[in-house]
């Protein structure tokens, strides 16, 4: 597979050079002449690349609408298309389950592989616990993250796991955008001015979003939220909310019976009135808990991908994050 990609790319590269064109994909039938062909993974990378690259980029997402990023695997046809693009931008922070294998395969082709999450320090579940006084048994009970630490055998997941959901933190999203901007400048230095200007405008919006989150959480009645999938750990660190989750960092991690009982107990203690679901993750267990504690459901968008409806109605990272903020505000109200 690797060899085939290599040969195909070499052929296309040769054709491109013969035609005097700088783009390796110049001869492909689906290529937009003169634009950089870029494949991205999670939705924020697609949106940021479009915003920063503007008229000079043609951006496509590897992910179909509304998928959950952790377990999705692109087809070999998509992989072949990526190998012929100018760049493949992925987060590299561990959310793209297919990434390691894909990057290995793509190394045999000419596509530039860009890790947008480069330089971002990931939170580990361990750190997220320490934030809430893991050392003190009583403090830990107070803010239990839906799993019990009393007995070793209750730990059926890896506690050293890193939280990959960095894009939901507007400050870290800015870092993703900066890395994308830097790579676009490397690919097409002649458009540095435009890329930088577009990036600065995005950065301004992200800074405002950060302020809005801060203000909303500061003014909230309570700090605890109950979510289906543990995608909001960075809001704990950044804004001081406390996330209780039914499923793990990856939605495939389901709680044990004992953890379930703990979630229900803690949710009742904190007078949790809403369970936050996600449009791209379904969870029967979360439904059961919702009924058990008599809560209502709210829907948050984790932005691992975008739905068809949201895309067609012109929504983007910023507008969807503002919707998330409204949901959060409601969830934090008494
Ligand atoms: Zn813990
Ligand atoms: Zn996730």
């Amino acid at each position: 597979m690797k060899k085939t990609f290599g040969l195909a790319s070499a052929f296309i590269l040769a054709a491109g050079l013969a035609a005097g064109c700088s783009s390796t994909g110049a001869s492909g039938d689906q290529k937009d002449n003169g634009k950089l062909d870029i494949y991205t993974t999670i939705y924020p990378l697609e949106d940021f690349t479009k915003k920063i690259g503007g008229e000079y980029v043609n951006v496509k997402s590897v992910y179909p609408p509304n998928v959950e990023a952790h377990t999705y695997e692109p087809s070999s046809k998509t992989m072949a298309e990526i190998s012929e693009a100018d760049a493949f931008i992925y987060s590299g922070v561990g959310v793209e389950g297919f990434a390691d294998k894909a990057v290995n395969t793509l190394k045999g082709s000419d596509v530039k592989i860009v890790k947008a999450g480069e330089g971002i320090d990931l939170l580990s579940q361990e750190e997220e616990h320490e934030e809430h006084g893991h050392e003190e048994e009583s403090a830990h009970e107070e803010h239990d993250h839906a799993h019990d630490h009393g007995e070793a055998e209750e730990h059926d997941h890896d506690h050293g796991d890193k939280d990959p959901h960095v894009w939901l933190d507007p400050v870290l999203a800015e870092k993703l955008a900066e890395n994308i901007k830097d790579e676009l400048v490397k690919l097409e230095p002649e458009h540095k001015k435009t890329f930088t200007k577009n990036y600065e405008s995005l950065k301004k919006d992200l800074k405002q979003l950060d302020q809005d989150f801060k203000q909303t959480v500061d003014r909230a009645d309570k700090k605890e939220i109950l979510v289906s999938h543990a995608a909001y750990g960075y809001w704990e660190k950044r804004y001081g909310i406390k996330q209780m989750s039914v499923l793990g960092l990856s939605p495939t991690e389901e709680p044990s019976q004992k953890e379930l009982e703990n979630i229900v107990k803690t949710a009742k203690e904190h007078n949790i009135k809403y369970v936050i679901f996600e449009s791209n993750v379904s969870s029967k267990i979360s439904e059961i808990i919702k009924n058990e504690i008599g809560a209502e459901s709210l829907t948050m968008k984790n932005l691992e991908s975008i739905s068809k409806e949201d895309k067609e109605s012109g929504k983007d990272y910023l507008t969807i994050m503002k919707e998330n903020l409204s949901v959060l505000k409601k969830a934090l109200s008494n």
Side-chain angles (χ1 to χ4, degrees):
M1 223 174 170
K2 190 170 172 180
K3 270 181 189 148
T4 316
F5 284 156
L7 284 175
S9 304
F11 178 75
I12 289 157
L13 178 64
L17 286 173
C21 177
S22 68
S23 167
T24 55
S27 63
D29 51 0
Q30 47 163 356
K31 309 292 176 187
D32 236 316
N33 237 339
K35 292 189 183 187
L36 286 170
D37 275 303
I38 299 176
Y39 274 86
T40 55
T41 57
I42 51 169
Y43 177 69
L45 303 183
E46 176 187 352
D47 186 40
F48 295 172
T49 306
K50 278 182 182 162
K51 290 221 156 65
I52 298 166
E55 59 180 310
Y56 302 112
V57 294
N58 178 29
V59 185
K60 273 185 227 148
S61 177
V62 172
Y63 290 134
N66 220 31
V67 297
E68 166 270 292
H70 302 264
T71 53
Y72 181 80
E73 297 255 355
S75 68
S76 50
K77 181 173 166 281
T78 303
M79 286 304 300
E81 284 167 7
I82 298 171
S83 76
E84 293 179 5
D86 294 297
F88 169 63
I89 303 180
Y90 75 122
S91 77
V93 296
V95 68
E96 299 103 340
F98 74 98
D100 286 349
K101 213 172 83 192
V103 165
N104 241 338
T105 307
L106 292 171
K107 273 179 186 156
S109 71
D110 295 314
V111 63
K112 181 163 192 192
I113 299 165
V114 176
K115 198 171 151 183
E118 196 69 61
I120 294 179
D121 282 333
L122 301 181
L123 287 178
S124 64
Q125 285 191 319
E126 205 55 71
E127 284 172 86
E128 286 175 4
H129 282 295
E130 280 164 19
E131 288 292 312
H132 309 303
H134 208 225
E135 304 307 312
E136 288 172 47
E137 201 45 50
S138 59
H140 191 238
E141 270 171 28
E142 192 63 31
H143 298 296
D144 199 301
H145 286 241
H147 57 257
D148 180 57
H149 280 241
E151 297 160 60
E153 58 268 28
E154 293 295 333
H155 274 91
D156 54 353
H157 57 268
D158 182 3
H159 229 199
D161 266 357
K162 299 288 186 187
D163 186 343
H165 304 93
V166 294
W167 61 90
L168 291 166
D169 176 343
V171 177
L172 297 181
E174 196 184 307
K175 181 68 187 168
L176 294 173
E178 187 188 8
N179 284 338
I180 291 169
K181 184 260 295 170
D182 289 346
E183 290 299 331
L184 290 180
V185 169
K186 276 184 210 160
L187 282 164
E188 287 197 332
E190 65 271 32
H191 298 130
K192 182 178 178 177
K193 228 177 128 181
T194 307
F195 295 153
T196 306
K197 194 183 106 230
N198 292 345
Y199 162 70
E200 290 297 335
S201 151
L202 175 60
K203 186 172 149 182
K204 206 174 135 231
D205 289 340
L206 292 171
K207 288 216 183 299
Q208 183 58 51
L209 184 68
D210 173 47
Q211 288 306 312
D212 294 346
F213 264 84
K214 221 171 255 164
Q215 202 176 72
T216 298
V217 178
D218 281 352
R219 293 176 181 173
D221 298 322
K222 58 169 169 272
K223 306 293 179 202
E224 296 80 12
I225 57 171
L226 177 54
V227 299
S228 169
H229 149 229
Y232 308 94
Y234 287 88
W235 292 352
E236 298 194 323
K237 171 129 185 165
R238 184 75 59 198
Y239 307 116
I241 66 153
K242 314 270 185 281
Q243 160 187 256
M244 288 176 274
S245 71
V246 179
L247 307 175
L249 286 172
S250 168
T252 52
E253 293 169 27
E254 298 199 333
S256 67
Q257 183 60 38
K258 185 150 191 202
E259 287 169 337
L260 261 178
E261 286 164 17
N262 245 318
I263 296 167
V264 170
K265 184 170 155 270
T266 315
K268 283 179 177 166
E269 276 168 14
H270 288 298
N271 188 27
I272 293 292
K273 294 193 301 188
Y274 300 98
V275 177
I276 299 174
F277 291 84
E278 294 170 318
S279 52
N280 57 345
V281 177
S282 68
S283 166
K284 282 220 173 69
I285 302 176
S286 303
E287 283 287 347
I288 293 168
I289 290 178
K290 189 197 82 174
N291 295 335
E292 177 70 29
I293 63 175
E296 287 175 50
S297 46
L298 291 172
T299 303
M300 197 86 97
K301 289 166 183 170
N302 59 35
L303 286 162
E304 287 173 11
S305 60
I306 187 169
S307 71
K308 206 163 165 273
E309 307 80 67
D310 281 353
K311 194 161 206 175
E312 280 167 0
S313 60
K315 289 181 187 173
D316 60 8
Y317 173 87
L318 221 70
T319 53
I320 294 173
M321 282 296 277
K322 283 177 185 166
E323 287 177 13
N324 281 343
L325 184 56
S326 302
V327 172
L328 182 64
K329 190 175 179 182
K330 188 162 188 186
L332 296 176
S333 65
N334 269 336

